Amino acid sequence: MKFLLIQADGMPDRPIKELGNRTPLEAANTPNLDKLIKLSKMGIVNHIPKGMKSGSDVGNLSILGYNPEKFFTGRSPIEAESIGINLEPNDICYRCNLVTIKNKNGKEIMEDHSAGHIKNTISKQIIEALRENIENDEFKIYEGVSYRHILVWKNGMTEIETTAPHDILDKNIIQYLPSGPGSVRLRDLMRQAKVAIKKLKNEVPELKSSDCSDVWLWGQGKKPKLPKFKSIHKIGGSIISAVDLVKGIGKLAGLNVLEVDGATGYLDTNYKGKVEAAIKSLENDDFCMIHIEAPDETGHEGDYKKKIQAINDLDNKVVGPIIDLMENKYDEYKICVVSDHPTPCELRTHSYEYVPFLIFDSRLNNNNHGKEVFTEKAANESGIVEHSGHELLFSFFQS
Ligand SMILES: [Zn+2]
């Protein structure tokens, strides 16, 4: 039996007035999901345990069968793992976003948590300048992808509170700066970074029009310890994602993290390459998770048209080819489609509603719902509810 899990990051949403009170998933053109759902089990699942913050870190741990209440130590140390940073036990690892902060009427407003989805060629130059200007024996910066980078604070303070920049879009940053004992060190560092970025933009013509104005530190934690995926599920596998966070969870779990050229985590990603890599990986392994980030990113942009595009692409370029290729290549297989959390366009950040899932088994028709479509509403009406999201993968693997 081969198991393929499609993680449609942030796909679930809320009804949108301009769409006639439909969600982007309802408004999207999804013939392949609709074909699959007629033979699949459908339900809703919660990947964000009560009291935890909704996000891809907690959500992806849960999807892979790890109870976040037990294993989550912070977002950034997971990403650090993915880019090969060897954290010491007392290192505190921060996510260092390149962001756009603009002064409007005397207020510093968080305009974009991604500095306009900054390109790697630009972010590389900025990270190099930041290294020169702010690194020392205590603080080190590591280059990630696009706007997502890492700061490691050797023997850093442990009781600092931070806020995710995508949670404060269009808000005054002043009350969201790092706070608590020792946080002044981080605020100083962010100020130095602002000066260094401004100077660089004045010096390099290519960077002048870049949206990047600042760095934003958040998502900190110490190195987590996960038991190996194979030891808990008795099955090995691989993971395909453009996003360091998801790759990091894969590495910590002992999964094969497959690299795909042109995987961007956005609408322009190499869908074909990702699908082909997933299908090929199943020649050796029995499980593969393919992670699609564009529904989440477009939700953060608050752009329902782009989000519909992301879901159309998911259906047309991922689900459709996967059904065809699996059918041709493997005798018995199961497909699960699920999301880690909703990213409603109206909020431009993650929310806490339970998310739809489907489980297809090539051997049987396990339709439990009588519905024709895979949507938030249909899944809610199916009557199947999984409160502990980390249990879902165990039931997927049950024959
Ligand atoms: Zn996510």
Side-chain angles (χ1 to χ4, degrees), residues 13-42:
D13 209 299
R14 297 178 180 176
I16 293 173
K17 212 168 85 199
E18 291 85 345
L19 296 174
N21 284 323
R22 290 174 302 166
T23 65
L25 179 57
E26 286 172 324
N29 182 26
T30 56
N32 296 299
L33 281 169
D34 297 346
K35 185 169 124 192
L36 209 56
I37 199 62
K38 293 185 184 89
L39 298 168
S40 300
K41 176 178 165 182
M42 173 163 60

Side-chain angles (χ1 to χ4, degrees), residues 7 9-10 55-56 60 293 296 340-341 350:
Q7 208 284 67
D9 201 305
S56 296
N60 279 291
E293 173 78 347
D296 179 65
D340 45 357
H341 52 72
H350 312 138

Side-chain angles (χ1 to χ4, degrees), residues 118-143:
I118 188 166
K119 289 203 175 352
N120 287 337
T121 47
I122 306 290
S123 64
K124 193 179 185 67
Q125 298 179 58
I126 293 174
I127 293 298
E128 271 167 22
L130 291 175
R131 278 208 187 112
E132 278 170 32
N133 283 280
I134 61 181
E135 276 199 343
N136 54 36
D137 290 346
E138 266 184 296
F139 293 107
K140 289 261 174 293
I141 295 179
Y142 296 86
E143 190 189 338

